Amino acid sequence: MTDLREAFCFFLRRGLGDMPQTREPELVLTREEWNELFRMASVQAVSGIFIDGVASVSLRPDRDLWEQWIAHLFYLEQINERIANREEEWVGRFAEADIRAQVFKGSSVAAWYPYPLHRSFGDIDLVVEEGWQKLEEWLHGQGVPFRNEWGDLVVHEEGLTTVEFHPHREYLYNPVMNVRLQDWLKEGSSNELYLVCLIVHLRRYFLTNEIGL
């Protein structure tokens, strides 16, 4: 019997561009098992990466199922492209109002993947680095409805996604350590500090809401 978790991790690693020279495992998968693998990928929000992994090997599900997955991939690309464009539009609109913002997570993380549009972006997260005190008044002036959620401002864009505005890239519950983190963030940005913020975010989010892969 095929270990589906092992098969799932194999395709995921291939989709991430890892182990390209590794010999393909001798898998014999039924249609039901292929469906279960895709379900696992969807639950973990890595369906695009999983499909890329399958595309990198000679093993395939039946033609009907494979065509459904390719259609899903095209749809994912279209949605993610719209979200990435929307992120740029928000940042541009803010710049015109002297509000400086930066994308956090989303497309900025997707850029690290072999096929950025195949990573599920989810919500739009914008960190307002300058001009936070003007943000609420600006949103009111633009006629944009929003709500305050624990200090973040949230806008729901009908038919697209949720946009979240954050006053800080990340924060810690420990007040002493949080002061240190915020001081680092004020000093500038780097790939290492960005990665630290992602790790902090994942840890906090996992403990409260769980996360996908």
Side-chain angles (χ1 to χ4, degrees):
M1 182 176 179
T2 302
D3 186 333
L4 292 185
R5 288 177 298 180
E6 185 177 336
F8 174 69
C9 289
F10 167 78
F11 289 124
L12 201 60
R13 289 195 295 269
R14 290 298 295 253
L16 289 170
D18 193 14
M19 49 187 261
Q21 304 303 320
T22 303
R23 195 179 79 173
E24 297 180 23
E26 295 181 2
L27 295 174
V28 178
L29 298 167
T30 66
R31 181 183 176 89
E32 289 71 24
E33 288 173 326
W34 279 116
N35 275 320
E36 177 59 17
L37 287 173
F38 186 77
R39 187 199 67 80
M40 293 166 64
S42 298
V43 168
Q44 295 295 335
V46 290
S47 59
I49 299 166
F50 167 74
I51 295 172
D52 287 336
V54 177
S56 72
V57 299
S58 58
L59 193 63
R60 290 282 191 284
D62 63 70
R63 180 173 178 176
D64 180 59
L65 204 56
W66 183 241
E67 288 179 350
Q68 291 179 38
W69 291 4
I70 295 301
H72 168 82
L73 202 58
F74 286 152
Y75 176 75
L76 185 65
E77 289 177 347
Q78 292 173 350
I79 293 298
N80 287 344
E81 193 165 30
R82 286 177 59 195
I83 290 176
N85 290 338
R86 193 66 181 134
E87 288 172 341
E88 294 181 4
E89 290 173 11
W90 275 108
V91 171
R93 290 174 67 186
F94 281 164
E96 294 174 357
D98 292 325
I99 299 174
R100 186 162 64 90
Q102 185 181 66
V103 176
F104 181 56
K105 301 183 298 178
S107 60
S108 64
V109 173
W112 299 343
Y113 286 70
Y115 302 98
L117 291 179
H118 293 180
R119 176 196 179 272
S120 298
F121 290 176
D123 297 339
I124 293 175
D125 291 273
L126 298 177
V127 177
V128 178
E129 298 174 311
E130 290 182 11
W132 177 263
Q133 68 281 0
K134 299 189 283 186
L135 184 56
E136 288 196 31
E137 182 180 353
W138 183 84
L139 289 172
H140 280 303
Q142 297 291 313
V144 178
F146 64 90
R147 63 182 184 275
N148 190 308
E149 289 188 358
W150 305 99
D152 298 323
L153 302 185
V154 180
V155 172
H156 178 69
E157 295 197 314
E158 195 67 34
L160 188 58
T161 188
T162 299
V163 186
E164 298 182 0
F165 306 114
H166 309 281
H168 308 290
R169 183 177 289 179
E170 197 43 75
Y171 63 88
L172 294 166
Y173 291 130
N174 183 310
V176 176
M177 297 301 294
N178 187 56
V179 168
R180 188 177 183 186
L181 176 62
Q182 300 310 320
D183 286 343
W184 282 346
L185 292 173
K186 290 176 184 176
E187 292 174 4
S189 181
S190 67
N191 287 336
E192 292 80 8
L193 187 55
Y194 192 93
L195 181 58
V196 167
C197 289
L198 287 174
I199 293 170
V200 170
H201 177 82
L202 287 171
R203 176 180 178 274
R204 183 164 53 81
Y205 203 85
F206 180 78
L207 293 174
T208 55
N209 299 308
E210 300 183 335
I211 58 171
L213 288 176

